Amino acid sequence: MATISCRCGTVKLQFPTRSPRASQECCCRDCHGRIAHLANLGGPSMPDVTIASADNRTRPATFYYFVNRITVLSGGDRIKFYLMKEGSTNYNMASSCCNTFLMGHSPAFSGNTVGVPKELRTLSGVDEPNDGPLLRWFPADMPGEVVDGPAGSMPSAWLLDDGKPTGTEGWEIGFGKMCNDVWGADVLEAEDVGDKFVDLLEEYKARGKEVEIVSK
């Protein structure tokens, strides 16, 4: 089974499968900002980043999307949660011992999956997706030239002002797969063991812990 560990090894979590449901790349400021926030607290940063800042990113972050079933193998009391800004519904899970970003959860995932960044090298026992990342999101958000070009062989996608998605040639195929395998479909299997992200979040709150809001 795929496992995810914080940098110091205190927190160790397990997913019920070796393979993520899908993967995609993201260039957006929010995805990089939540990792940069922890890097400024001493946690690991994205590769090739010497200054922990969302404005200093030079390549997209690759996110693997695993089924939302999480077994805590160790360090459950060192798990923390935070939001990047007040009013956000995109929750982030990290380790309090070494400030390692572990995974993120968004209402867009319909409770089915969680996103784990590949580049932080926190994962082990993972079977790489055969088709690689399906989309590169928000390429215009990258402050400089993106490694391998802004599109390469991968379709890019972004949202219009009305919230509807659009993109470069072929984006609909990757978007459709993400909708089926990650976001809109009921991908949880009855035999999958472990807690959902929200279960761990509610347990955290029940212990009297507060969710940090980075920017109020």
Side-chain angles (χ1 to χ4, degrees), residues 81-118:
F81 295 86
Y82 66 100
L83 298 168
M84 285 304 294
K85 56 187 176 182
E86 193 166 15
S88 175
T89 53
N90 296 323
Y91 281 86
N92 305 293
M93 180 194 295
S95 66
S96 61
C97 45
C98 59
N99 289 300
T100 298
F101 181 86
L102 298 172
M103 66 185 74
H105 182 270
S106 167
F109 302 165
S110 302
N112 292 319
T113 56
V114 293
V116 181
K118 173 184 177 182

Side-chain angles (χ1 to χ4, degrees), residues 13 18 45-46 71 78 85-87 101 114 136 153 162 172 181 186 192 196-197:
L13 313 173
R18 293 180 60 90
S45 64
M46 290 287 291
T71 298
R78 298 300 180 92
K85 56 187 176 182
E86 193 166 15
F101 181 86
V114 293
R136 175 174 286 173
S153 60
D162 61 5
E172 299 97 332
D181 295 341
D186 184 8
D192 287 340
K196 292 184 178 181
F197 186 100

